[in-house]
Amino acid sequence: MDGCIFCKMVEGEIPTTKVYEDEAVLAFLDIGPLSDGHTLVVPKRHCTTVHECDPEVLAELAARLGRIAEAVVTAMEADGYNVLSNNGAAAGQVVDHLHFHVIPRKVGDRVFTQWPAYKYRQQQAQDIAARIRSRLT
Ligand code: AMP
Ligand code: ZN
């Protein structure tokens, strides 16, 4: 897509620190890592968010994600990793080309210091689940 920085990377117009490439995906080091080895996995076919993406493109990406994550986590001798996709500006998406962050983690690294979990009020969970279910039928 015109003007898309990740499409330009796929086309080879912008240099990347590539870690993997095949006919469907490109994976490269994030220029602003949260930890060493922080990798972005992107589909070669442009789409913006998970729900707007052709399921076939998603499936191709998902089929490769585990292998790439395993390589990242073992190469970095990490204790674990986060797989994260920001969808929409409100969720922190800055680059409007779907991508999955693979973020290697070490015990106690404090990469994400906040996880603001809370509890639903009585009946609230049932109501919310019903609203979501109604859009999936
Ligand atoms: P997001 O906030 O999920 O849209 O993440 C976009 C990510 O792309 C950020 O973590 C940026 O550091 C990364 N990024 C932006 N430009 C480049 C680039 N030229 N090479 C590698 N990573 C990039
Ligand atoms: Zn793109």
Side-chain angles (χ1 to χ4, degrees):
M1 208 189 78
D2 280 357
C4 171
I5 184 174
F6 286 179
C7 280
K8 288 192 172 123
M9 290 177 172
V10 166
E11 295 303 322
E13 293 168 16
I14 291 181
T16 62
T17 315
K18 184 165 63 180
V19 299
Y20 179 78
E21 181 174 20
D22 65 18
E23 72 284 359
V25 307
L26 176 67
F28 52 90
L29 294 186
D30 193 304
I31 204 170
L34 297 186
S35 64
D36 287 353
H38 180 164
T39 295
L40 299 178
V41 184
V42 314
K44 286 196 164 177
R45 267 165 67 189
H46 180 96
C47 59
T48 305
T49 59
V50 166
H51 71 278
E52 289 164 320
C53 206
D54 181 338
E56 200 179 290
V57 171
L58 274 184
E60 286 177 335
L61 195 144
R64 289 146 172 92
L65 199 49
R67 185 161 165 250
I68 297 167
E70 184 179 31
V72 170
V73 77
T74 56
M76 293 300 105
E77 299 180 352
D79 302 315
Y81 58 96
N82 296 98
V83 173
L84 177 70
S85 178
N86 299 322
N87 287 253
Q93 185 172 18
V94 174
V95 178
D96 287 335
H97 181 130
L98 180 73
H99 52 281
F100 286 81
H101 298 255
V102 178
I103 305 167
R105 301 294 306 276
K106 299 267 192 195
V107 171
D109 63 13
R110 297 181 58 78
V111 167
F112 298 112
T113 52
Q114 281 205 318
W115 188 270
Y118 60 91
K119 293 206 184 322
Y120 284 119
R121 297 186 304 276
Q122 212 182 5
Q123 193 54 36
Q124 193 187 11
Q126 285 74 11
D127 292 346
I128 288 171
R131 278 167 59 187
I132 297 169
R133 275 197 305 270
S134 73
R135 287 164 171 80
L136 286 168
T137 53

